[in-house]
Amino acid sequence: MKLAHIDLSEIRVVSLYVITCFMCENQLHLAASEIDASYSVGDAATIAASQGWYSFETADECCSVACPRCIKEVQQNEGED
């Protein structure tokens, strides 16, 4: 068998938005659409929200990015108070 480098035409560049939960460091990866050139950070935030990712503020705590699991945990903790 003879090995060779990958044909360069088989490699593509993809923009990727990475959103990290500040509580558990879970990450959401959103690939920018190659079809829609206007895909933006704002669009990524909207898509993240549709998947349950938000910022939040409670009486004790403020978090700019939280995943659905951590948000649920905070909501449950608030209900216990």
Side-chain angles (χ1 to χ4, degrees), residues 5-81:
H5 289 288
I6 298 169
D7 186 320
L8 297 181
S9 67
E10 298 297 328
I11 300 173
R12 61 187 172 102
V13 175
V14 177
S15 295
L16 181 68
Y17 295 96
V18 179
I19 301 169
T20 304
C21 177
F22 282 121
M23 298 181 74
C24 71
E25 297 187 8
N26 184 26
Q27 292 187 336
L28 175 64
H29 298 113
L30 301 170
S33 171
E34 294 177 9
I35 299 169
D36 185 0
S38 66
Y39 194 74
S40 68
V41 174
D43 295 325
T46 300
I47 292 168
S50 74
Q51 296 182 26
W53 288 69
Y54 294 98
S55 63
F56 70 84
E57 185 176 338
T58 67
D60 312 339
E61 179 175 27
C62 184
C63 182
S64 61
V65 181
C67 69
R69 184 183 55 171
C70 289
I71 288 173
K72 184 177 180 178
E73 184 178 317
V74 171
Q75 287 172 329
Q76 289 172 343
N77 291 341
E78 277 198 307
E80 293 173 1
D81 294 337

